[in-house]
Amino acid sequence: MKIKLEKIGNGWWRADCLNLPGSPPCGDGQTKEMAIAALFYQLIHDPNWIKCINRTEPLTINDKIYKSPWKTNG
């Protein structure tokens, strides 16, 4: 999943998923972490979006690959 994280007006941040089809939701928050959390909250609670997430694709935020500190099964 490719996420673009950018600062928007009034010191807020927006997390936008770049590679989901159509017009996926964005997450807005007062911090980077809250923007990403808001995005994922929307994605995992909507059955139409959760099925679009490719769990084998790496998570990339602003072209930097996130690597989990824990081993996962897929």
Side-chain angles (χ1 to χ4, degrees), residues 10-72:
N10 297 325
W12 282 64
W13 291 86
R14 172 162 293 149
D16 184 11
C17 189
L18 300 178
N19 61 334
L20 290 182
S23 298
C26 291
D28 293 342
Q30 291 181 320
T31 65
K32 294 176 185 180
E33 295 84 2
M34 289 306 297
I36 292 171
L39 171 63
F40 277 99
Y41 184 86
Q42 292 181 72
L43 293 174
I44 65 174
H45 285 90
D46 185 327
N48 294 316
W49 288 116
I50 192 69
K51 66 183 177 185
C52 294
I53 295 173
N54 180 350
R55 292 181 178 98
T56 62
E57 180 183 16
L59 175 59
T60 305
I61 302 173
N62 289 351
D63 297 321
K64 183 177 179 183
I65 295 176
Y66 171 79
K67 293 187 179 183
S68 174
W70 299 283
K71 291 189 178 209
T72 60

